[in-house]
Amino acid sequence: MKDLLRLRTSLTEEIEALLNEQIKIEAYSSAVYLAMSSWCNRNGYDNSASYLEKQSYEEREHMMKIFRFVNDMGGRAVSPEITNIPQEFESFRGVFELALQQEIHVSSKINNIADRCFKAKDYMTFQFIQWFLKEQIEEEYVARRILELFDVIGEEGTGRWQIDKNIPKVTYGEEAGEE
Amino acid sequence: MQGKKNCQLVEVFKTEQGIVYQCNRQNMFCLEFSGVSSFFKITDFLDFIKKVNKIDIEAMASSTSPGSDIAILMPHYTERCFVLTMTDVLKLRELLSGAKFMLQLNSMIFQCLSNPVS
Ligand SMILES: [Fe+2]
Ligand SMILES: [Fe+2]
């Protein structure tokens, strides 16, 4: 019997579902960063606002990368439904704590995809997902470093103003030469 | 809808209620259920299986409002409107999950054949 399933796509149902789930997670990240950007903007943290807006844009790029991959492989990429975006945040620091938490969550999701690909012997997707593993190293690093600014500089006096000024300067070492 | 004349139908799975064929010429699936046949493209067929599996049988059973004991599926990719009683849903599920299993098994066999252990 002709193998019609394989004719359509090399993605198994499980991997396709995982990738679609990841599309949704990236879209959610993008939306949350945008909400954070707005919060920072109305609370006077201008640099953070534009930094977070840029982050939001990057997350959308991540989403599109997976979206295109699924379609290119013959799968069915699903335009995600995103709900429950927090619009208010506890504090300036709270924004970045949440950002780090979100990045950690994304990392664990990407790790899981890599693991599932490996088990399903789907080395094409495994190869594709490598880029995201590398990206998460950077994302977690930056989020952690930013959070450290709050301790290093301190929030008293003009501290928050200083922190806001320094946030866009945080970059991952290897990246500087690359981009 | 595709005519049967260009088809080269191979049986995928069969129950008392129906049969799933695949057409090797047109790369489509044919579902024969309660006497009517419908054709599906590969992706649409997989989507249809998902839709049937998503029907909330419990809600159908517990609700007392009129009409809630039938499920209606009108996927945009077929001209057919599936009006299903609870028993129909269960029977259709049985047929479709059997078919899906056979398709996956077939895929696995192909994979093994292209990488024989020497
Ligand atoms: Fe991301
Ligand atoms: Fe990220």
Side-chain angles (χ1 to χ4, degrees):
Chain A
M1 189 165 84
K2 202 167 158 187
D3 185 1
L4 292 193
L5 289 188
R6 181 64 179 85
L7 220 57
R8 175 191 154 244
T9 178
S10 65
L11 299 173
T12 62
E13 208 184 356
E14 185 209 2
I15 301 293
E16 188 180 325
L18 279 173
L19 290 172
N20 270 315
E21 194 194 323
Q22 195 59 37
I23 287 174
K24 195 172 176 156
I25 293 170
E26 299 293 344
Y28 179 83
S29 291
S30 177
V32 172
Y33 276 126
L34 204 59
M36 289 170 168
S37 171
S38 175
W39 186 92
C40 284
N41 187 293
R42 53 180 191 275
N43 284 282
Y45 305 113
D46 283 357
N47 297 305
S48 300
S50 40
Y51 166 81
L52 289 162
E53 190 187 315
K54 208 179 110 243
Q55 261 329 99
S56 167
Y57 179 77
E58 268 185 29
E59 297 301 344
R60 188 181 155 80
E61 284 291 294
H62 295 167
M63 171 190 116
M64 289 314 296
K65 223 179 166 101
I66 309 171
F67 190 88
R68 289 188 208 108
F69 177 79
V70 172
N71 279 340
D72 288 351
M73 297 299 276
R76 184 183 276 224
V78 179
S79 175
E81 220 165 284
I82 330 157
T83 46
N84 289 325
I85 311 299
Q87 303 292 341
E88 293 303 327
F89 302 91
E90 207 171 276
S91 61
F92 188 29
R93 190 199 171 103
V95 164
F96 288 94
E97 239 175 66
L98 197 66
L100 175 59
Q101 273 170 22
Q102 176 66 12
E103 290 304 338
I104 290 172
H105 175 64
V106 170
S107 297
S108 96
K109 286 294 182 182
I110 299 279
N111 257 331
N112 181 249
I113 295 178
D115 183 57
R116 300 314 306 172
C117 288
F118 203 76
K119 288 195 173 113
K121 299 192 176 164
D122 179 351
Y123 295 109
M124 288 191 253
T125 309
F126 185 68
Q127 150 102 345
F128 166 77
I129 216 72
Q130 303 296 312
W131 184 89
F132 285 87
L133 287 172
K134 203 167 161 250
E135 175 73 10
Q136 280 315 115
I137 297 177
E138 183 187 319
E139 298 268 75
E140 272 196 44
Y141 172 89
V142 172
R144 227 172 250 125
R145 271 280 179 271
I146 286 178
L147 210 50
E148 275 165 14
L149 289 180
F150 285 82
D151 297 327
V152 175
I153 299 174
E155 293 186 64
E156 308 76 31
T158 55
R160 291 202 190 99
W161 180 80
Q162 285 281 357
I163 295 168
D164 181 55
K165 220 171 123 186
N166 280 286
I167 279 174
K169 293 182 195 154
V170 179
T171 42
Y172 183 56
E174 277 180 25
E175 191 200 19
E178 270 177 39
E179 281 198 335
Chain B
M1 200 171 273
Q2 262 63 30
K4 262 192 176 179
K5 40 187 179 318
N6 301 321
C7 287
Q8 196 190 76
L9 295 179
V10 181
E11 188 183 305
V12 178
F13 192 72
K14 185 179 180 180
T15 61
E16 278 183 9
Q17 267 60 46
I19 313 180
V20 171
Y21 297 103
Q22 75 173 43
C23 168
N24 284 347
R25 199 162 286 154
Q26 297 180 98
N27 295 338
M28 292 183 88
F29 292 104
C30 172
L31 165 71
E32 257 185 49
F33 187 70
S34 44
V36 190
S37 35
S38 339
F39 283 82
F40 296 87
K41 281 200 253 169
I42 307 169
T43 348
D44 296 341
F45 186 64
L46 296 173
D47 183 71
F48 182 69
I49 297 177
K50 267 190 207 144
K51 285 201 164 71
V52 172
N53 287 335
K54 259 194 208 148
I55 295 173
D56 190 346
I57 290 258
E58 270 178 46
M60 279 171 87
S62 58
S63 171
T64 50
S65 65
S68 62
D69 52 344
I70 53 165
I72 297 174
L73 281 186
M74 270 193 338
H76 59 90
Y77 37 74
T78 72
E79 285 167 15
R80 184 169 171 189
C81 172
F82 290 83
V83 181
L84 308 165
T85 63
M86 268 165 54
T87 351
D88 290 339
V89 174
L90 293 175
K91 284 172 179 167
L92 189 54
R93 272 188 194 168
E94 187 193 345
L95 174 61
L96 292 176
S97 60
K100 195 170 159 193
F101 175 78
M102 292 310 286
L103 293 172
Q104 284 170 335
L105 182 64
N106 187 49
S107 252
M108 284 167 77
I109 293 170
F110 266 89
Q111 239 179 64
C112 293
L113 289 177
S114 38
N115 300 292
V117 189
S118 49

